[in-house]
Amino acid sequence: RLTAGERVSRGAATRALPQVHNLWSEGGTGLVGSVFAAMRGTSFGRALELLLSFVHEAGQHIQANDPAFSLPHPPELPAHKVGGLSIVHGQGSDEQWTKALKLLMADIKWILGWAAKDEAQREIERERLGETPW
């Protein structure tokens, strides 16, 4: 449970009223198990699907500009999979879901690595041409 206070103004007697937010759903096994059990179809699950879509689009954009580039584990849309494993919690074991997220993070690292390399190459080109970076 997470308790946060809502400030209530009563002149000189301003005080915080406690608010309690349950961090788990009913019927789960503890905080973590319940959160994961309730995750499917939630905004967190949707956020993972959107992240996968972003990685897919970024990979396609980079590959259009650099044909030698390819993600090690290309996202599979609309199945919401990476490396053949679903990023939707509950469509496989917890171990498979964790591995899918690990593969997704590897793809993100590749995108960041490519972006850093691309920026370094642009900086070298600007210096060669005598341009200032700003």
Side-chain angles (χ1 to χ4, degrees), residues 8-109:
V8 177
S9 179
R10 293 188 182 164
T14 299
R15 65 187 181 110
L17 296 177
Q19 293 179 335
V20 178
H21 305 279
N22 287 329
L23 298 178
W24 62 86
S25 63
E26 295 297 324
T29 56
L31 174 64
V32 175
S34 300
V35 168
F36 286 139
M39 194 179 301
R40 188 172 179 188
T42 63
S43 58
F44 180 78
R46 181 70 182 130
L48 285 177
E49 293 170 4
L50 292 172
L51 178 61
L52 186 69
S53 296
F54 167 76
V55 169
H56 177 73
E57 288 180 29
Q60 286 183 329
H61 174 76
I62 293 169
Q63 198 164 23
N65 293 302
D66 183 358
F69 178 86
S70 68
L71 292 172
H73 315 285
E76 303 165 28
L77 299 179
H80 305 300
K81 291 184 177 185
V82 60
L85 301 169
S86 177
I87 63 159
V88 178
H89 193 267
Q91 289 189 352
S93 69
D94 286 349
E95 292 80 18
Q96 290 173 326
W97 181 72
T98 301
K99 182 164 184 171
L101 295 183
K102 183 178 178 180
L103 297 176
L104 181 60
M105 293 304 294
D107 284 349
I108 292 169
K109 283 175 62 175

Side-chain angles (χ1 to χ4, degrees), residues 62-63 65-70 109-126:
I62 293 169
Q63 198 164 23
N65 293 302
D66 183 358
F69 178 86
S70 68
K109 283 175 62 175
W110 276 64
I111 290 169
L112 291 173
W114 182 89
K117 176 194 70 128
D118 184 62
E119 183 58 31
Q121 288 174 339
R122 289 175 191 237
E123 180 65 26
I124 290 169
E125 186 63 21
R126 282 192 295 265

